[in-house]
Amino acid sequence: MTAQTFITFTDVWRALGPEVVLAATAFIVMIVEFLVPPRTRHITPWLSLAGTVAAGVVTALQLHVFYATLQTASVAVDDFSNIFMLIILLSCALIILLAIGASRKAELPFEYSYMILFATVGALVLTAANDLVTLYVGLELLSISSYVLVAMHRGSLRSAEGGLKYLIIGSIGSALILYGLSFVYGLAGTTQLLSIASSLQSAWVTTPALLYVALVLVAAGVGVKMSVAPFHQWTADVYEGAPTPVTAYLAVVSKAAVLALLIRVLLTVFGQQTPEWWPLIGWMAAITMVIGNVGALAQRNVKRLLAFSSIGQVGYLLVPFAAAGVTPSASGVYQGLSASVYYLVAYALMTIGGFAVLQVVQAARASEEIDAFSGLYKRSPWLAASMLVFLLSLAGMPLTGGFVGKFLIFLTAFNDGQFWLGVILFATSAVAFYYYFAIVRAMFTRQPPDDQTAVKATPAMNTVIAVCLAGTLLLGVLPSPLMSLLGGLHWFS
Amino acid sequence: MNDALFLTVLLPALAALFVLFVPARAASAVRGVSLTAQLLALLFALAAYIGFNKGMAVFQFPFAATWLTVPNAFGTTPLVIRFAFGADGISMPLILLTGVVGLMASMRSHSIHERVKEHYFWQLLLTAGLYGVFASADLFTFFFFLEATLVTTYFLISVWGNEGRRRAATKFLIYRGLASVVLLAGFIGLAYSYAVQAQGASMQVYLGFAPNFLSLSIPQLISEAGKFQLSIAAQDALYLVFLLAVLVEEAFVPFHTWLPDAHEQADTGTNMLIGGVLMKIGLYILLRFAVELLPQGLQQFAWLTGLLGVISIIYGALVALAQKDWRRLIAFSSISHMGLVLLAIASLQAVGLQGAVFMLVSSGLLTALLFYAVGAQADRTKTFEIKNLGGLSKSLPVISGVLLVAALGSVGLPGMSGFISEFALFLGSFATFPWLAAVGTLGMILVALYLLYAMQRTTFGPQRTEYDQLADARPVEYVAMAVFVALVILIGVYPSVLGDVVHTTVQSIAGRIGG
């Protein structure tokens, strides 16, 4: 704490540009939503979309711009946060478009258009936070907005049940994280992540037990938030109850943000003792991969099936991180991060795409069961073919983004000598083929039910599906551009 | 000319995409596009076959394009993944086989009237995948096309099959999917062990054209295999992994139950592709990867390999005796014949390996022909049940005659491809495992029993009155059957047409593995 400094708007803009844009949009949208007559309220999501895109542009502009992070800084402006922010904003934009396309007011009243922005501001803060307090503020902003979003379908008992369940379990998760962080603060005497790292050097010698308690509490809390097994039990119920766009939001944006939190906190705060804790992450990844994929086998409801599959996918995302912990060289960690982020991009696209198709089918058939997809090839070849690509990508079929991502993750595990994680990754992927093919089989080999009318999607929905489809295929066929972009990042300053 | 192999893969794949944009009502346009693409691909395969340099044991017609470079994939060495094609004396005949069976299956599928456009789409993709499997010169490329055949065949069975098609297709997917996973583990182990060994060896011996990146190129691995050996333990372990994958992939006993089910449910065109080409992939994997890259592992477990082969020969033949459905009978017959190939590979003799390749080609042609002829009669009699048939030689003399030719070819009548194949492979296996080979010859007696007994019940005997008015083969069927019969007899009478291409490669392999 040196001489008194005045924070100018320029400083804030440089540190929190995207957050400022998004938060401002959120307030504007909120006011607009209050003021305009109900007939014209449908413009509010479009405003949100514009704000999200603008924030995305601001983030993209600061990619590769290098600011040194001070020991005392509350937020870090580095490529690690930039790339996660870009993924979050892209996903958020697609999900808003998906919600616009779904356009069923009963299920998702227009309040979502600013709630989703507040949640996203929290997610952005979470990726950039360099201070325990900032971090917790981001986490709670994301969580509390998400609780509201889940329960937004007012008429539905399931939505209410999901919201309540998410509120209770999510609060426990937040409490665990907070409790763990309080130990860290107690030992380090500061809330800045970089300062903590240096202050803890002696604590690792004198009171390691307390640090392990803190580590386990944080890991468990994060596990709850991103549904890592064995903290995943809430996932299927909440996903099933939430309106589909919100489910997609939980599956993609929440998980991406919390993953960023996990990586940053573990690497900076506990980074000195990676050999001590990486097996914990490794086992979490392994158990999650197995439970997610095996659990999906028994599901007949597509939303629940995708919920379990998203649990399995989180396991994959954790693998490079677990593997990189063994040999904590900078290049090893960066390579692991590249693999994780590549897969995260692919995951975001294929998951949002899958939920978009599900939303259309659900609206046409008033059912989320696998049977609702029967004969989709006849009722809409376009939707059936897109869903096929998304499912094959989730399963990890070559020529899709999911395959390249999984392959990179596998290589990282192998290169770090964690063969067992690689083996589990492939074994569970083989299991995954079985349940994804249940949907494929229904779409292509079953006859459509009596109702033979074509299934039509709104233009907004078709746009979401087209973007996700193009992205999934592009990542699978031409992986080099994104890989070289990730390879050239300054992850941490 | 170097692009010929690449084009065989590309043409059917492009045609498949093109078919998607043809309106569904224009079924004849779809058929035309498919037939043209298959014919062109076959011509390219034929051109490559004729232009193949018979004196060289290396991969010819190389084509490679880098798809992806992963930095620091193996220590600090980058991994380069390529789409690479090429063929040697083992794969070249199988590529041509793919072309012949692919074209004939496409002609046969004219009897498909339901979801025509999609049928040809999947069939063309399957053909491209099969070409790709045999023409690939890179582990990644190989695996990619192998997976392509898995998905496409699944759709072909599950949409255009009979009543039990979904179950059969799912079974097919599970069995072959598991085989793929095991195989992938084998590939990774293989590439990894060779990379570790090559890094160590490059200090001492000169590795010709050793690249400064981790390569998955098959010719590269083969050339490394000529320079150094993996440790015995690694070879043993990897060989067993490959053997397990092949047992499932090739439907050997005790993993055989999926094949009869698949054949019983699939339509005739798909059956020709499965029985004629797809079921040769497993043994091709064994020849290509296990024999060439893990010779000591093969030597160690040659007895096991031979024994498994003999078990499949005898079991397949005995079960075939009891079959009531022609398609199941052909399936078990095919399992039995593939057991012969396994026995031949275990012999480690040049002549045995040559017999193995001959048998793959011969059985491919004969199985496809059997399915074609049986399918042609079923178009007319509406049944595959042997007990419901009888006396067809009077009403369907041509189809019955061709069925008889195919059966006799499978039995191993001299003058046809089956005989020369069996002769060579038994020559090899008697030299190494006289007792196993002696038991294996029992299979030859059994094959005569079950095929000719089934023939007799189908074509001879009292003619059933309901089959009086059947019309015999149409011109398009004449063409297909004539091509198959001509090739079977050509190989039988003039084996050099195939042997010259195979010989040099097989000699060089046998030289390396000490046969």
Side-chain angles (χ1 to χ4, degrees), chain B residues 229-270:
Chain B
Q229 285 282 334
L230 295 184
S231 73
I232 301 279
Q235 291 212 18
D236 286 357
L238 283 172
Y239 181 75
L240 288 179
V241 170
F242 273 98
L243 189 63
L244 176 64
V246 170
L247 287 181
V248 183
E249 192 103 349
E250 203 55 68
F252 283 130
V253 182
F255 304 106
H256 58 281
T257 57
W258 63 269
L259 181 65
D261 288 0
H263 273 321
E264 190 180 1
Q265 297 302 332
D267 68 285
T268 298
T270 307

Side-chain angles (χ1 to χ4, degrees), chain A residues 335 377 397-399 403-404 407 410-411 414-415 419 426 430 434 437 440-441 444-446 476-477 479-480 483, chain B residues 67-69 71-75 79 81 115 140 144 147 151 154-155 158 166 170 173-174 181 184 188 192:
Chain A
Q335 200 191 346
Y377 77 93
M397 200 70 181
L399 286 191
F403 169 79
V404 179
F407 186 69
F410 179 80
L411 275 181
F414 222 70
N415 200 16
F419 306 114
F426 261 103
Y434 186 78
F437 260 81
V440 173
R441 200 161 51 227
F444 286 94
T445 71
R446 296 248 157 76
V477 178
S480 302
M483 276 180 65
Chain B
W67 178 59
L68 177 60
T69 306
N72 302 327
F74 173 62
L79 166 69
I81 297 177
R115 296 168 76 177
F140 181 83
F144 172 77
E147 292 301 289
V151 177
Y154 170 81
F155 278 108
S158 69
R166 293 209 187 87
T170 307
L173 189 73
I174 292 175
V181 173
L184 188 64
I188 291 164
Y192 187 72

Side-chain angles (χ1 to χ4, degrees), chain A residues 335-359:
Chain A
Q335 200 191 346
L337 281 173
S338 298
S340 257
V341 170
Y342 195 99
Y343 194 68
L344 187 61
V345 177
Y347 169 73
L349 290 170
M350 59 207 186
T351 307
I352 295 173
F355 276 116
V357 177
L358 172 63
Q359 169 76 53

Side-chain angles (χ1 to χ4, degrees), chain B residues 20 80 86 100 134 179 185 197 340 343 349 409:
Chain B
L20 278 187
V80 175
V100 173
F134 293 122
Q197 196 84 2
L340 287 172
L343 178 63
Q349 304 279 334

Side-chain angles (χ1 to χ4, degrees), chain A residues 417-434:
Chain A
Q418 298 305 307
F419 306 114
W420 66 289
L421 282 175
V423 168
I424 294 178
L425 193 156
F426 261 103
T428 50
S429 300
V431 174
F433 265 96
Y434 186 78

Side-chain angles (χ1 to χ4, degrees), chain B residues 198-483:
Chain B
Q199 268 191 350
S202 60
M203 304 294 167
Q204 289 120 35
V205 288
Y206 170 70
L207 290 178
F209 309 109
N212 56 355
F213 53 81
L214 179 59
S215 160
L216 302 175
S217 151
I218 294 170
Q220 173 75 24
L221 288 174
I222 292 176
S223 93
E224 286 176 6
K227 305 235 167 44
F228 55 77
Q229 285 282 334
L230 295 184
S231 73
I232 301 279
Q235 291 212 18
D236 286 357
L238 283 172
Y239 181 75
L240 288 179
V241 170
F242 273 98
L243 189 63
L244 176 64
V246 170
L247 287 181
V248 183
E249 192 103 349
E250 203 55 68
F252 283 130
V253 182
F255 304 106
H256 58 281
T257 57
W258 63 269
L259 181 65
D261 288 0
H263 273 321
E264 190 180 1
Q265 297 302 332
D267 68 285
T268 298
T270 307
N271 268 337
M272 290 167 69
L273 282 167
I274 297 177
V277 192
L278 191 76
M279 291 313 293
K280 314 300 161 207
I281 294 177
L283 288 159
Y284 173 71
I285 290 171
L286 206 63
L287 279 169
R288 170 64 72 224
F289 301 107
V291 176
E292 292 203 67
L293 301 176
L294 306 164
Q296 287 174 346
L298 172 60
Q299 264 163 5
Q300 189 74 22
F301 292 106
W303 60 272
L304 177 65
T305 312
L307 183 66
L308 286 167
V310 170
I311 291 174
S312 280
I313 296 171
I314 302 296
Y315 185 88
L318 285 175
V319 178
L321 269 174
Q323 293 310 311
K324 299 183 179 70
D325 185 297
W326 258 108
R327 292 164 299 187
R328 291 184 76 86
L329 186 143
I330 300 173
F332 280 106
S333 161
S334 144
I335 292 173
S336 180
H337 278 92
M338 290 303 103
L340 287 172
V341 180
L342 204 57
L343 178 63
I345 291 174
S347 76
L348 301 165
Q349 304 279 334
V351 61
L353 293 179
Q354 178 139 0
V357 179
F358 263 79
M359 187 45 123
L360 289 181
V361 174
S362 158
S363 152
L365 292 170
L366 287 167
T367 309
L369 179 57
L370 276 172
F371 274 121
Y372 192 95
V374 168
Q377 70 80 20
D379 284 351
R380 292 156 174 87
T381 64
K382 311 289 178 226
T383 181
F384 287 94
E385 291 276 320
I386 297 173
K387 73 169 171 2
N388 295 340
L389 297 166
L392 291 184
S393 60
K394 297 193 189 67
S395 48
L396 304 173
V398 176
I399 293 174
S400 303
V402 170
L403 191 58
L404 184 64
V405 171
L408 289 176
S410 296
V411 169
L413 191 76
M416 287 200 267
S417 61
F419 172 74
I420 179 76
S421 315
E422 282 165 17
F423 183 74
L425 65 84
F426 272 116
L427 210 58
S429 42
F430 264 108
T432 313
F433 297 115
W435 283 104
L436 279 179
V439 180
T441 48
L442 276 180
M444 296 301 88
I445 299 164
L446 289 170
V447 72
L449 209 60
Y450 66 75
L451 266 179
L452 297 182
Y453 180 48
M455 275 307 300
Q456 183 231 326
R457 284 180 290 166
T458 306
T459 54
F460 302 114
Q463 187 180 16
R464 288 166 172 260
T465 46
E466 66 261 38
Y467 299 150
D468 278 345
Q469 302 303 318
L470 298 179
D472 206 3
R474 287 172 290 125
V476 62
E477 291 173 323
Y478 272 114
V479 173
M481 294 190 291
V483 168

Side-chain angles (χ1 to χ4, degrees), chain B residues 8-10 12-13 85 98 122-136 141-150 152-153 277-278 281:
Chain B
T8 59
V9 183
L10 190 66
F85 298 100
T98 309
W122 293 115
Q123 191 178 56
L124 283 164
L125 274 192
L126 173 59
T127 315
L130 291 168
Y131 272 121
V133 163
F134 293 122
S136 53
T141 318
F142 181 92
F143 195 74
F144 172 77
F145 285 113
L146 187 68
E147 292 301 289
T149 65
L150 178 69
T152 48
T153 314
V277 192
L278 191 76
I281 294 177

